[in-house]
């Protein structure tokens, strides 16, 4: 979206927060428009391997972030273009090649603020550990410190998704205030599902990933479980092109609107059901 767009909350509310304004949303997902700089479009960068926030269903996109993206584009009367890319590239792509917003279950960090302006927080997150279903290593743990003590052991290999807070947690990050698990070995994967597969194959011992994707994976993959102890406290927000302050204002207004009228809770309930 190259034009500066100002949208007042009243416009957001009247433009149909659910399924109006030319919505192409279907039960099986959201269809991305083809990028065309001559058209009025919202271009969103994501990494569609982070269910329940973003994932693919065939050639369509689904998930919490994708539904918010579609609703927001509809509220502006614009087409939605979704660009699926490696997670490492999502934030840095904003402001380049037409990309307006990064929407990928993004934890707010000072480093990322160098590339984008973050919206208001829309979700609170944390890191958790996935293990094999028969692994009893953490059964007696009741605190995050006890989990960390058992992770931070020489010879332990921990799978993570590259570029995520999970990787920062294992490697250490001054930005996030994590010292890192200096005795353990961090093994980065392109997505958390591959990390879990690597664990099941015996190539890594554990996987560290955000809570919601962790529980989503456990619900879909046999033979694994999540240790239900939060290792971190994080905030998710969307990253907006720094050259478009009015777009940031509009997206914040939209988020406020869907939280006030219950649409946001409906989206969460849909993707966390079961």
């Amino acid at each position: 979206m190259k034009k500066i767009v100002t949208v007042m909350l009243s416009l957001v509310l009247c433009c149909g927060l659910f399924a109006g304004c030319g919505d192409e949303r279907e039960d099986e997902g959201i269809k991305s428009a083809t990028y065309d700089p001559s058209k009025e479009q919202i271009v969103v960068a994501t990494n569609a391997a982070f269910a329940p926030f973003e994932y693919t269903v065939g050639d369509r996109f689904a998930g919490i972030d994708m539904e918010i993206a579609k609703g927001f584009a509809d509220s502006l009367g614009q087409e939605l273009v979704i660009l699926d890319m490696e997670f490492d590239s999502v934030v840095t792509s904003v402001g380049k090649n037409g990309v307006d917003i990064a929407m990928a279950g993004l934890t707010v960090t000072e480093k990322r603020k160098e590339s984008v302006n973050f919206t208001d927080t829309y979700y609170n997150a944390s890191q958790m550990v996935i293990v094999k279903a028969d692994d009893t290593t953490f059964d007696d743990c009741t605190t995050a410190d006890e989990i960390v003590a058992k992770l931070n052991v020489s010879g332990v290999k921990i799978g993570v998704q590259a570029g995520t807070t999970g990787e920062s947690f294992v490697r250490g990050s001054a930005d996030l205030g994590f010292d890192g698990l200096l005795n353990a070995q961090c093994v980065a994967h392109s997505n958390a599902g591959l990390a879990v597969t690597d664990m099941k194959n015996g190539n890594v011992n554990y996987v560290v990933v955000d809570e919601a994707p962790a529980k989503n994976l456990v619900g879909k993959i046999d033979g694994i479980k999540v240790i239900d102890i939060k290792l971190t406290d994080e905030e998710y927000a969307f990253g907006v092109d720094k050259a478009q302050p009015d777009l940031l204002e509009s997206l914040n207004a939209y988020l406020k609107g869907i939280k006030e009228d219950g649409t946001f809770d409906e989206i969460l309930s849909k993707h966390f059901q079961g």
Side-chain angles (χ1 to χ4, degrees), residues 128-153 156-158 169 181 184 199 205-208 225-229 231:
M128 285 189 171
V129 181
I130 299 176
V131 303
K132 292 181 181 178
D134 60 357
D135 192 318
T136 61
T137 303
F138 306 99
D139 285 3
D140 61 344
C141 293
T142 59
T143 68
D145 287 344
E146 291 173 344
I147 296 286
V148 169
K150 293 192 175 187
L151 289 173
N152 194 21
V153 175
V156 168
K157 296 181 180 180
I158 303 174
F169 180 81
L181 308 178
M199 181 184 71
N205 300 96
Y206 315 114
V207 174
V208 172
K225 64 183 180 182
V226 63
I227 306 303
D228 201 10
I229 296 175
L231 301 179

Side-chain angles (χ1 to χ4, degrees), residues 144-206:
D145 287 344
E146 291 173 344
I147 296 286
V148 169
K150 293 192 175 187
L151 289 173
N152 194 21
V153 175
S154 179
V156 168
K157 296 181 180 180
I158 303 174
V160 299
Q161 181 175 352
T164 64
T165 311
E167 182 175 21
S168 296
F169 180 81
V170 177
R171 296 191 189 278
S173 168
D175 184 22
L176 292 169
F178 302 153
D179 293 332
L181 308 178
L182 303 181
N183 295 319
Q185 179 181 345
C186 185
V187 182
H189 301 76
S190 60
N191 62 68
L194 291 177
V196 168
T197 298
D198 220 15
M199 181 184 71
K200 292 190 70 175
N201 290 336
N203 298 317
V204 299
N205 300 96
Y206 315 114

Side-chain angles (χ1 to χ4, degrees), residues 30-222:
I30 297 162
K31 183 177 177 59
S32 170
T34 300
Y35 176 61
D36 184 343
S38 69
K39 294 183 176 180
E40 293 290 327
Q41 297 178 325
I42 292 292
V43 183
V44 168
T46 194
N47 172 245
F50 201 64
F53 289 92
E54 38 268 323
Y55 56 97
T56 55
V57 181
D59 63 348
R60 291 175 174 260
F61 294 87
I64 295 165
D65 291 348
M66 298 297 93
E67 292 212 24
I68 294 172
K70 179 59 177 171
F72 179 57
D74 285 349
S75 77
L76 299 179
Q78 300 198 30
E79 293 181 335
L80 174 65
V81 177
I82 302 171
L83 303 179
D84 188 15
M85 61 188 68
E86 291 297 318
F87 185 82
D88 277 346
S89 301
V90 171
V91 171
T92 57
S93 72
V94 176
K96 303 171 185 175
N97 300 316
V99 177
D100 300 304
I101 310 170
M103 305 180 83
L106 293 172
T107 296
V108 176
T109 70
E110 294 303 315
K111 179 64 175 177
R112 289 171 180 165
K113 286 180 181 178
E114 295 175 5
S115 299
V116 297
N117 286 331
F118 277 109
T119 63
D120 297 333
T121 300
Y122 71 97
Y123 188 81
N124 293 316
S126 63
Q127 298 301 304
M128 285 189 171
V129 181
I130 299 176
V131 303
K132 292 181 181 178
D134 60 357
D135 192 318
T136 61
T137 303
F138 306 99
D139 285 3
D140 61 344
C141 293
T142 59
T143 68
D145 287 344
E146 291 173 344
I147 296 286
V148 169
K150 293 192 175 187
L151 289 173
N152 194 21
V153 175
S154 179
V156 168
K157 296 181 180 180
I158 303 174
V160 299
Q161 181 175 352
T164 64
T165 311
E167 182 175 21
S168 296
F169 180 81
V170 177
R171 296 191 189 278
S173 168
D175 184 22
L176 292 169
F178 302 153
D179 293 332
L181 308 178
L182 303 181
N183 295 319
Q185 179 181 345
C186 185
V187 182
H189 301 76
S190 60
N191 62 68
L194 291 177
V196 168
T197 298
D198 220 15
M199 181 184 71
K200 292 190 70 175
N201 290 336
N203 298 317
V204 299
N205 300 96
Y206 315 114
V207 174
V208 172
V209 67
D210 295 55
E211 177 182 3
K215 292 181 176 179
N216 182 270
L217 287 166
V218 168
K220 293 181 176 179
I221 301 175
D222 293 333

Side-chain angles (χ1 to χ4, degrees), residues 10-21:
S10 59
L11 174 59
V12 172
L13 294 175
C14 75
C15 201
L17 293 173
F18 294 91
C21 300

